[in-house]
């Protein structure tokens, strides 16, 4: 089973790994696209105003531009420790130990606008590039990633179950055939439901943690739902789509 996570815009600084080496990342067939995008971000960082426009930044976020300027030189850390925010707080991968930590390392991956697909331990620097970013004079990121990333994801999906927890903009970079997906719904006392937007990341992070550490090896949506229910989550299934039900 592979659990595919979205990245986060917020990332930890620093790291104790060597500077970025594309050959140290998983899925080397993505390296030409990775190199092109890294080079473009480094070049773009020379123009702070253009970087703000392309990346949707305010002047208070110029440190993000400086991060991009140093992409080839700044230290790295494993991808799952680089990303921060609500989903990654709920996942709390650093607290997993022993066999659970090993399973998490093997099962968790991140869909990245800059690197396409990262496995848990792939060493990456801090950077800023979102799925909706529009680099000047270039096609959309979806147009650039789909032709190279979809075959990689399709090959993975042919070998193991993929649970796709990416947000819409990242899922648009490349589809995963047959993937199990999850939506978070809040249920009111009268039984009516609505999609959770603000806190859905926390519930998806909790689901990712449950799946990452479980000794079970689900092969379909029913199996994923069973693992989640054993962990105390309320989950309903609609074919390959799961609905996580939480109180309003």
């Amino acid at each position: 089973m592979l659990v595919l996570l979205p990245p986060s815009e917020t990332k930890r600084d620093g790291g104790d790994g060597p500077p970025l080496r594309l050959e140290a990342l998983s899925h080397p067939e993505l390296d030409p696209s990775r190199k092109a995008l890294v080079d473009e971000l480094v070049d773009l960082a020379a123009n702070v105003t253009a970087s703000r426009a392309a990346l949707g930044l305010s002047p208070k976020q110029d440190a993000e531009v400086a991060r991009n300027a140093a992409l080839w030189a700044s230290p790295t850390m494993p991808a799952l420790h680089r990303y921060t925010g609500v989903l990654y707080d709920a996942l709390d991968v650093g607290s997993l130990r022993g066999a659970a930590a090993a399973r998490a390392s093997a099962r968790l991956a991140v869909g990245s606008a800059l690197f396409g697909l990262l496995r848990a331990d792939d060493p990456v620097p801090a950077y800023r590039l979102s799925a909706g970013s529009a680099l000047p004079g270039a096609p959309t990121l979806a147009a650039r990633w789909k032709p190279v990333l979809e075959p990689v994801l399709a090959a993975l999906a042919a070998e193991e179950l993929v649970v796709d927890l990416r947000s819409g903009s990242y899922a648009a970079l490349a589809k995963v055939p047959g993937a199990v997906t999850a939506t978070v719904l809040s249920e009111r006392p009268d039984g009516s439901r609505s999609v959770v937007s603000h806190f859905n990341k926390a519930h998806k992070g909790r689901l990712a943690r449950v799946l990452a550490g479980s000794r079970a090896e689900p092969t379909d949506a029913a199996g994923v739902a069973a693992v989640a229910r054993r962990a105390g989550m309320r989950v309903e299934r609609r074919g390959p789509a799961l609905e996580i039900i939480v109180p309003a």
Side-chain angles (χ1 to χ4, degrees), residues 2-19:
L2 182 72
V3 182
L4 184 54
L5 304 173
S8 62
E9 291 191 351
T10 56
K11 299 171 185 70
R12 288 186 178 86
D13 287 317
D16 56 10

PDB file of all heavy atoms in Angstrom, residues 2-19:
ATOM      1  N   LEU A   2       0.491   2.209  -0.819  1.00  0.00           N
ATOM      2  CA  LEU A   2       1.160   3.505  -0.864  1.00  0.00           C
ATOM      3  C   LEU A   2       0.144   4.576  -0.494  1.00  0.00           C
ATOM      4  O   LEU A   2      -0.940   4.636  -1.077  1.00  0.00           O
ATOM      5  CB  LEU A   2       1.716   3.769  -2.263  1.00  0.00           C
ATOM      6  CG  LEU A   2       2.486   5.089  -2.434  1.00  0.00           C
ATOM      7  CD1 LEU A   2       3.836   5.005  -1.729  1.00  0.00           C
ATOM      8  CD2 LEU A   2       2.681   5.402  -3.913  1.00  0.00           C
ATOM      9  N   VAL A   3       0.484   5.410   0.479  1.00  0.00           N
ATOM     10  CA  VAL A   3      -0.382   6.515   0.894  1.00  0.00           C
ATOM     11  C   VAL A   3       0.233   7.797   0.359  1.00  0.00           C
ATOM     12  O   VAL A   3       1.343   8.187   0.751  1.00  0.00           O
ATOM     13  CB  VAL A   3      -0.509   6.572   2.425  1.00  0.00           C
ATOM     14  CG1 VAL A   3      -1.450   7.709   2.830  1.00  0.00           C
ATOM     15  CG2 VAL A   3      -1.020   5.238   2.968  1.00  0.00           C
ATOM     16  N   LEU A   4      -0.484   8.437  -0.553  1.00  0.00           N
ATOM     17  CA  LEU A   4       0.026   9.609  -1.258  1.00  0.00           C
ATOM     18  C   LEU A   4      -0.518  10.877  -0.611  1.00  0.00           C
ATOM     19  O   LEU A   4      -1.729  11.116  -0.607  1.00  0.00           O
ATOM     20  CB  LEU A   4      -0.377   9.534  -2.731  1.00  0.00           C
ATOM     21  CG  LEU A   4       0.143  10.612  -3.676  1.00  0.00           C
ATOM     22  CD1 LEU A   4       1.661  10.725  -3.608  1.00  0.00           C
ATOM     23  CD2 LEU A   4      -0.314  10.315  -5.104  1.00  0.00           C
ATOM     24  N   LEU A   5       0.376  11.680  -0.056  1.00  0.00           N
ATOM     25  CA  LEU A   5       0.011  12.881   0.686  1.00  0.00           C
ATOM     26  C   LEU A   5       0.216  14.135  -0.151  1.00  0.00           C
ATOM     27  O   LEU A   5       1.065  14.155  -1.051  1.00  0.00           O
ATOM     28  CB  LEU A   5       0.882  13.004   1.941  1.00  0.00           C
ATOM     29  CG  LEU A   5       0.882  11.818   2.907  1.00  0.00           C
ATOM     30  CD1 LEU A   5       1.930  12.039   3.990  1.00  0.00           C
ATOM     31  CD2 LEU A   5      -0.494  11.611   3.510  1.00  0.00           C
ATOM     32  N   PRO A   6      -0.516  15.201   0.180  1.00  0.00           N
ATOM     33  CA  PRO A   6      -0.172  16.501  -0.408  1.00  0.00           C
ATOM     34  C   PRO A   6       1.043  17.063   0.321  1.00  0.00           C
ATOM     35  O   PRO A   6       1.328  16.667   1.459  1.00  0.00           O
ATOM     36  CB  PRO A   6      -1.419  17.339  -0.117  1.00  0.00           C
ATOM     37  CG  PRO A   6      -1.939  16.778   1.175  1.00  0.00           C
ATOM     38  CD  PRO A   6      -1.653  15.296   1.118  1.00  0.00           C
ATOM     39  N   PRO A   7       1.770  17.982  -0.294  1.00  0.00           N
ATOM     40  CA  PRO A   7       2.819  18.675   0.444  1.00  0.00           C
ATOM     41  C   PRO A   7       2.191  19.765   1.298  1.00  0.00           C
ATOM     42  O   PRO A   7       0.961  19.810   1.448  1.00  0.00           O
ATOM     43  CB  PRO A   7       3.683  19.259  -0.669  1.00  0.00           C
ATOM     44  CG  PRO A   7       2.677  19.574  -1.732  1.00  0.00           C
ATOM     45  CD  PRO A   7       1.626  18.489  -1.652  1.00  0.00           C
ATOM     46  N   SER A   8       2.992  20.626   1.864  1.00  0.00           N
ATOM     47  CA  SER A   8       2.467  21.799   2.567  1.00  0.00           C
ATOM     48  C   SER A   8       3.246  23.017   2.102  1.00  0.00           C
ATOM     49  O   SER A   8       4.413  22.908   1.706  1.00  0.00           O
ATOM     50  CB  SER A   8       2.608  21.642   4.083  1.00  0.00           C
ATOM     51  OG  SER A   8       3.967  21.523   4.457  1.00  0.00           O
ATOM     52  N   GLU A   9       2.602  24.169   2.144  1.00  0.00           N
ATOM     53  CA  GLU A   9       3.312  25.386   1.783  1.00  0.00           C
ATOM     54  C   GLU A   9       4.358  25.724   2.838  1.00  0.00           C
ATOM     55  O   GLU A   9       5.410  26.285   2.534  1.00  0.00           O
ATOM     56  CB  GLU A   9       2.328  26.540   1.597  1.00  0.00           C
ATOM     57  CG  GLU A   9       1.439  26.377   0.365  1.00  0.00           C
ATOM     58  CD  GLU A   9       0.656  27.633   0.043  1.00  0.00           C
ATOM     59  OE1 GLU A   9       0.686  28.570   0.878  1.00  0.00           O
ATOM     60  OE2 GLU A   9       0.023  27.673  -1.015  1.00  0.00           O
ATOM     61  N   THR A  10       4.070  25.381   4.105  1.00  0.00           N
ATOM     62  CA  THR A  10       5.035  25.640   5.170  1.00  0.00           C
ATOM     63  C   THR A  10       6.017  24.483   5.269  1.00  0.00           C
ATOM     64  O   THR A  10       5.633  23.319   5.161  1.00  0.00           O
ATOM     65  CB  THR A  10       4.317  25.819   6.516  1.00  0.00           C
ATOM     66  OG1 THR A  10       3.505  24.666   6.786  1.00  0.00           O
ATOM     67  CG2 THR A  10       3.435  27.057   6.486  1.00  0.00           C
ATOM     68  N   LYS A  11       7.273  24.831   5.465  1.00  0.00           N
ATOM     69  CA  LYS A  11       8.335  23.821   5.522  1.00  0.00           C
ATOM     70  C   LYS A  11       9.355  24.203   6.577  1.00  0.00           C
ATOM     71  O   LYS A  11       9.593  25.387   6.822  1.00  0.00           O
ATOM     72  CB  LYS A  11       9.008  23.687   4.149  1.00  0.00           C
ATOM     73  CG  LYS A  11       8.036  23.251   3.063  1.00  0.00           C
ATOM     74  CD  LYS A  11       8.651  23.344   1.690  1.00  0.00           C
ATOM     75  CE  LYS A  11       7.613  23.017   0.618  1.00  0.00           C
ATOM     76  NZ  LYS A  11       6.577  24.094   0.508  1.00  0.00           N
ATOM     77  N   ARG A  12       9.950  23.202   7.192  1.00  0.00           N
ATOM     78  CA  ARG A  12      10.992  23.463   8.180  1.00  0.00           C
ATOM     79  C   ARG A  12      12.233  24.034   7.505  1.00  0.00           C
ATOM     80  O   ARG A  12      12.581  23.657   6.394  1.00  0.00           O
ATOM     81  CB  ARG A  12      11.370  22.181   8.922  1.00  0.00           C
ATOM     82  CG  ARG A  12      10.308  21.709   9.889  1.00  0.00           C
ATOM     83  CD  ARG A  12      10.780  20.518  10.708  1.00  0.00           C
ATOM     84  NE  ARG A  12       9.746  20.121  11.646  1.00  0.00           N
ATOM     85  CZ  ARG A  12       8.747  19.283  11.356  1.00  0.00           C
ATOM     86  NH1 ARG A  12       8.684  18.746  10.146  1.00  0.00           N
ATOM     87  NH2 ARG A  12       7.827  18.995  12.247  1.00  0.00           N
ATOM     88  N   ASP A  13      12.927  24.891   8.215  1.00  0.00           N
ATOM     89  CA  ASP A  13      14.209  25.407   7.741  1.00  0.00           C
ATOM     90  C   ASP A  13      15.316  24.396   8.008  1.00  0.00           C
ATOM     91  O   ASP A  13      15.166  23.468   8.810  1.00  0.00           O
ATOM     92  CB  ASP A  13      14.555  26.720   8.453  1.00  0.00           C
ATOM     93  CG  ASP A  13      13.714  27.882   7.967  1.00  0.00           C
ATOM     94  OD1 ASP A  13      13.517  27.992   6.741  1.00  0.00           O
ATOM     95  OD2 ASP A  13      13.255  28.671   8.810  1.00  0.00           O
ATOM     96  N   GLY A  14      16.430  24.610   7.350  1.00  0.00           N
ATOM     97  CA  GLY A  14      17.642  23.881   7.675  1.00  0.00           C
ATOM     98  C   GLY A  14      17.648  22.433   7.250  1.00  0.00           C
ATOM     99  O   GLY A  14      17.028  22.037   6.271  1.00  0.00           O
ATOM    100  N   GLY A  15      18.356  21.634   8.022  1.00  0.00           N
ATOM    101  CA  GLY A  15      18.557  20.233   7.704  1.00  0.00           C
ATOM    102  C   GLY A  15      20.014  19.873   7.891  1.00  0.00           C
ATOM    103  O   GLY A  15      20.887  20.750   7.912  1.00  0.00           O
ATOM    104  N   ASP A  16      20.288  18.584   8.053  1.00  0.00           N
ATOM    105  CA  ASP A  16      21.676  18.159   8.214  1.00  0.00           C
ATOM    106  C   ASP A  16      22.152  17.291   7.058  1.00  0.00           C
ATOM    107  O   ASP A  16      23.205  16.662   7.131  1.00  0.00           O
ATOM    108  CB  ASP A  16      21.866  17.421   9.541  1.00  0.00           C
ATOM    109  CG  ASP A  16      20.933  16.234   9.693  1.00  0.00           C
ATOM    110  OD1 ASP A  16      20.268  15.859   8.702  1.00  0.00           O
ATOM    111  OD2 ASP A  16      20.862  15.681  10.806  1.00  0.00           O
ATOM    112  N   GLY A  17      21.365  17.277   5.969  1.00  0.00           N
ATOM    113  CA  GLY A  17      21.763  16.530   4.790  1.00  0.00           C
ATOM    114  C   GLY A  17      22.536  17.392   3.815  1.00  0.00           C
ATOM    115  O   GLY A  17      22.511  18.625   3.893  1.00  0.00           O
ATOM    116  N   PRO A  18      23.235  16.783   2.872  1.00  0.00           N
ATOM    117  CA  PRO A  18      24.008  17.533   1.877  1.00  0.00           C
ATOM    118  C   PRO A  18      23.079  18.284   0.933  1.00  0.00           C
ATOM    119  O   PRO A  18      21.873  18.014   0.886  1.00  0.00           O
ATOM    120  CB  PRO A  18      24.777  16.444   1.136  1.00  0.00           C
ATOM    121  CG  PRO A  18      23.935  15.215   1.290  1.00  0.00           C
ATOM    122  CD  PRO A  18      23.328  15.313   2.662  1.00  0.00           C
ATOM    123  N   PRO A  19      23.596  19.227   0.176  1.00  0.00           N
ATOM    124  CA  PRO A  19      22.762  19.942  -0.798  1.00  0.00           C
ATOM    125  C   PRO A  19      22.064  18.993  -1.775  1.00  0.00           C
ATOM    126  O   PRO A  19      22.469  17.836  -1.940  1.00  0.00           O
ATOM    127  CB  PRO A  19      23.756  20.851  -1.517  1.00  0.00           C
ATOM    128  CG  PRO A  19      24.838  21.066  -0.527  1.00  0.00           C
ATOM    129  CD  PRO A  19      24.959  19.767   0.215  1.00  0.00           C
TER     130      PRO A  19
END
